[in-house]
Short mmCIF file of all heavy atoms in Angstrom, two decimals:
data_model
loop_
_atom_site.label_atom_id
_atom_site.label_comp_id
_atom_site.label_asym_id
_atom_site.label_seq_id
_atom_site.Cartn_x
_atom_site.Cartn_y
_atom_site.Cartn_z
N TYR A 262 88.17 117.76 100.66
CA TYR A 262 89.19 116.79 100.29
C TYR A 262 89.63 115.96 101.49
O TYR A 262 89.78 114.74 101.40
CB TYR A 262 90.44 117.50 99.73
CG TYR A 262 90.25 118.14 98.39
CD1 TYR A 262 90.90 119.34 98.09
CD2 TYR A 262 89.47 117.56 97.41
CE1 TYR A 262 90.77 119.94 96.85
CE2 TYR A 262 89.32 118.15 96.16
CZ TYR A 262 89.97 119.35 95.89
OH TYR A 262 89.84 119.93 94.67
N PHE A 263 89.81 116.60 102.64
CA PHE A 263 90.25 115.89 103.83
C PHE A 263 89.23 114.82 104.24
O PHE A 263 89.57 113.66 104.42
CB PHE A 263 90.48 116.88 104.99
CG PHE A 263 90.75 116.22 106.31
CD1 PHE A 263 91.96 115.60 106.54
CD2 PHE A 263 89.79 116.20 107.31
CE1 PHE A 263 92.23 114.97 107.75
CE2 PHE A 263 90.04 115.59 108.51
CZ PHE A 263 91.26 114.98 108.75
N PHE A 264 87.98 115.21 104.37
CA PHE A 264 86.97 114.25 104.81
C PHE A 264 86.67 113.21 103.74
O PHE A 264 86.30 112.09 104.07
CB PHE A 264 85.73 114.97 105.31
CG PHE A 264 85.93 115.56 106.66
CD1 PHE A 264 86.01 116.93 106.84
CD2 PHE A 264 86.09 114.75 107.77
CE1 PHE A 264 86.23 117.49 108.08
CE2 PHE A 264 86.31 115.28 109.04
CZ PHE A 264 86.38 116.65 109.18
N SER A 265 86.83 113.54 102.51
CA SER A 265 86.69 112.54 101.45
C SER A 265 87.78 111.49 101.58
O SER A 265 87.53 110.29 101.45
CB SER A 265 86.75 113.23 100.08
OG SER A 265 86.70 112.28 99.06
N ALA A 266 89.01 111.93 101.83
CA ALA A 266 90.12 110.98 102.02
C ALA A 266 89.91 110.12 103.26
O ALA A 266 90.15 108.92 103.24
CB ALA A 266 91.44 111.76 102.11
N VAL A 267 89.43 110.73 104.34
CA VAL A 267 89.18 109.98 105.56
C VAL A 267 88.08 108.94 105.34
O VAL A 267 88.22 107.79 105.76
CB VAL A 267 88.81 110.93 106.73
CG1 VAL A 267 88.27 110.15 107.93
CG2 VAL A 267 90.01 111.77 107.11
N ARG A 268 87.03 109.32 104.65
CA ARG A 268 85.94 108.35 104.37
C ARG A 268 86.43 107.22 103.46
O ARG A 268 86.05 106.07 103.63
CB ARG A 268 84.75 109.06 103.75
CG ARG A 268 83.96 109.80 104.81
CD ARG A 268 82.64 110.27 104.26
NE ARG A 268 81.83 110.77 105.35
CZ ARG A 268 80.90 111.67 105.20
NH1 ARG A 268 80.66 112.18 104.00
NH2 ARG A 268 80.20 112.09 106.22
N ALA A 269 87.27 107.54 102.49
CA ALA A 269 87.82 106.48 101.62
C ALA A 269 88.66 105.52 102.46
O ALA A 269 88.58 104.29 102.27
CB ALA A 269 88.65 107.09 100.50
N LEU A 270 89.44 106.04 103.39
CA LEU A 270 90.22 105.18 104.28
C LEU A 270 89.31 104.33 105.16
O LEU A 270 89.56 103.14 105.35
CB LEU A 270 91.15 106.02 105.14
CG LEU A 270 91.97 105.27 106.19
CD1 LEU A 270 92.88 104.24 105.53
CD2 LEU A 270 92.80 106.24 107.03
N MET A 271 88.24 104.91 105.65
CA MET A 271 87.29 104.17 106.48
C MET A 271 86.67 103.02 105.70
O MET A 271 86.50 101.91 106.23
CB MET A 271 86.21 105.10 107.03
CG MET A 271 86.74 106.07 108.04
SD MET A 271 85.56 107.37 108.50
CE MET A 271 84.34 106.43 109.40
N ARG A 272 86.36 103.25 104.43
CA ARG A 272 85.80 102.17 103.58
C ARG A 272 86.82 101.05 103.40
O ARG A 272 86.47 99.87 103.44
CB ARG A 272 85.34 102.73 102.24
CG ARG A 272 84.03 103.49 102.31
CD ARG A 272 83.46 103.80 100.95
NE ARG A 272 84.34 104.62 100.12
CZ ARG A 272 84.37 105.95 100.16
NH1 ARG A 272 83.56 106.61 100.96
NH2 ARG A 272 85.19 106.63 99.38
N LEU A 273 88.07 101.43 103.20
CA LEU A 273 89.13 100.41 103.07
C LEU A 273 89.28 99.60 104.34
O LEU A 273 89.46 98.37 104.30
CB LEU A 273 90.47 101.08 102.73
CG LEU A 273 90.75 101.39 101.29
CD1 LEU A 273 92.07 102.16 101.18
CD2 LEU A 273 90.82 100.13 100.45
N LEU A 274 89.23 100.27 105.47
CA LEU A 274 89.39 99.57 106.76
C LEU A 274 88.22 98.66 107.04
O LEU A 274 88.37 97.63 107.73
CB LEU A 274 89.55 100.59 107.89
CG LEU A 274 90.84 101.40 107.87
CD1 LEU A 274 90.79 102.52 108.89
CD2 LEU A 274 92.05 100.50 108.10
N ASP A 275 87.01 98.99 106.53
CA ASP A 275 85.83 98.18 106.77
C ASP A 275 85.68 97.04 105.76
O ASP A 275 84.88 96.13 105.98
CB ASP A 275 84.56 99.05 106.72
CG ASP A 275 84.45 99.94 107.93
OD1 ASP A 275 85.11 99.66 108.96
OD2 ASP A 275 83.70 100.94 107.86
N ALA A 276 86.42 97.11 104.67
CA ALA A 276 86.28 96.09 103.61
C ALA A 276 86.84 94.75 104.10
O ALA A 276 87.97 94.69 104.63
CB ALA A 276 87.00 96.54 102.36
N PRO A 277 86.09 93.68 103.91
CA PRO A 277 86.59 92.36 104.31
C PRO A 277 87.72 91.90 103.39
O PRO A 277 87.76 92.25 102.22
CB PRO A 277 85.36 91.46 104.18
CG PRO A 277 84.47 92.14 103.22
CD PRO A 277 84.75 93.61 103.34
N ASN A 278 88.62 91.13 103.96
CA ASN A 278 89.73 90.55 103.20
C ASN A 278 90.63 91.59 102.53
O ASN A 278 91.24 91.32 101.50
CB ASN A 278 89.22 89.57 102.15
CG ASN A 278 88.40 88.46 102.77
OD1 ASN A 278 88.73 87.98 103.84
ND2 ASN A 278 87.33 88.08 102.11
N THR A 279 90.69 92.78 103.10
CA THR A 279 91.55 93.82 102.58
C THR A 279 92.62 94.12 103.64
O THR A 279 92.27 94.35 104.79
CB THR A 279 90.75 95.11 102.28
OG1 THR A 279 89.70 94.81 101.38
CG2 THR A 279 91.63 96.19 101.70
N PRO A 280 93.88 94.10 103.23
CA PRO A 280 94.90 94.42 104.25
C PRO A 280 94.72 95.85 104.75
O PRO A 280 94.38 96.75 103.98
CB PRO A 280 96.22 94.25 103.50
CG PRO A 280 95.88 94.12 102.06
CD PRO A 280 94.43 93.82 101.93
N SER A 281 94.95 96.06 106.01
CA SER A 281 94.77 97.37 106.62
C SER A 281 95.87 98.32 106.15
O SER A 281 97.06 98.04 106.35
CB SER A 281 94.83 97.24 108.14
OG SER A 281 94.65 98.49 108.72
N PRO A 282 95.49 99.41 105.52
CA PRO A 282 96.52 100.37 105.07
C PRO A 282 97.16 101.06 106.27
O PRO A 282 96.51 101.28 107.29
CB PRO A 282 95.73 101.36 104.21
CG PRO A 282 94.31 101.21 104.61
CD PRO A 282 94.15 99.84 105.17
N SER A 283 98.41 101.39 106.17
CA SER A 283 99.11 102.05 107.27
C SER A 283 98.97 103.57 107.19
O SER A 283 99.31 104.25 108.15
CB SER A 283 100.59 101.66 107.25
OG SER A 283 101.18 102.00 106.03
N LEU A 284 98.48 104.09 106.11
CA LEU A 284 98.31 105.52 105.91
C LEU A 284 97.24 106.06 106.84
O LEU A 284 96.18 105.47 107.01
CB LEU A 284 97.93 105.81 104.46
CG LEU A 284 97.76 107.27 104.08
CD1 LEU A 284 99.07 108.01 104.17
CD2 LEU A 284 97.18 107.38 102.69
N ARG A 285 97.53 107.21 107.46
CA ARG A 285 96.56 107.90 108.31
C ARG A 285 96.58 109.38 107.93
O ARG A 285 97.44 109.83 107.19
CB ARG A 285 96.91 107.72 109.79
CG ARG A 285 96.76 106.31 110.30
CD ARG A 285 95.30 105.84 110.24
NE ARG A 285 95.11 104.52 110.78
CZ ARG A 285 95.01 103.42 110.06
NH1 ARG A 285 95.15 103.47 108.74
NH2 ARG A 285 94.81 102.24 110.60
N TYR A 286 95.63 110.13 108.49
CA TYR A 286 95.49 111.55 108.12
C TYR A 286 95.55 112.46 109.33
O TYR A 286 95.21 112.05 110.44
CB TYR A 286 94.15 111.78 107.38
CG TYR A 286 94.15 111.12 106.03
CD1 TYR A 286 93.57 109.89 105.82
CD2 TYR A 286 94.75 111.76 104.95
CE1 TYR A 286 93.59 109.30 104.57
CE2 TYR A 286 94.77 111.16 103.70
CZ TYR A 286 94.19 109.94 103.52
OH TYR A 286 94.22 109.35 102.28
N GLU A 287 95.99 113.69 109.07
CA GLU A 287 95.99 114.71 110.09
C GLU A 287 95.62 116.03 109.42
O GLU A 287 95.84 116.22 108.23
CB GLU A 287 97.33 114.83 110.80
CG GLU A 287 98.51 115.15 109.95
CD GLU A 287 99.84 115.01 110.70
OE1 GLU A 287 99.90 114.31 111.72
OE2 GLU A 287 100.83 115.62 110.23
N ILE A 288 95.03 116.92 110.23
CA ILE A 288 94.64 118.23 109.73
C ILE A 288 94.94 119.27 110.79
O ILE A 288 94.82 119.02 111.98
CB ILE A 288 93.13 118.26 109.33
CG1 ILE A 288 92.79 119.57 108.60
CG2 ILE A 288 92.23 118.01 110.51
CD1 ILE A 288 91.44 119.55 107.92
#
């Protein structure tokens, strides 16, 4: 679950014309 969430965040950060989400993760 953790790495799935991190990868989903990475895809959002790499997507063009998408505002950068402020959410981050810790484990």
Side-chain angles (χ1 to χ4, degrees):
Y262 291 144
F263 173 73
F264 284 109
S265 177
V267 169
R268 283 191 171 153
L270 177 59
M271 291 170 69
R272 284 191 299 274
L273 276 175
L274 293 170
D275 289 341
N278 302 322
T279 303
S281 180
S283 58
L284 181 66
R285 293 295 183 262
Y286 291 98
E287 60 190 21
I288 189 168

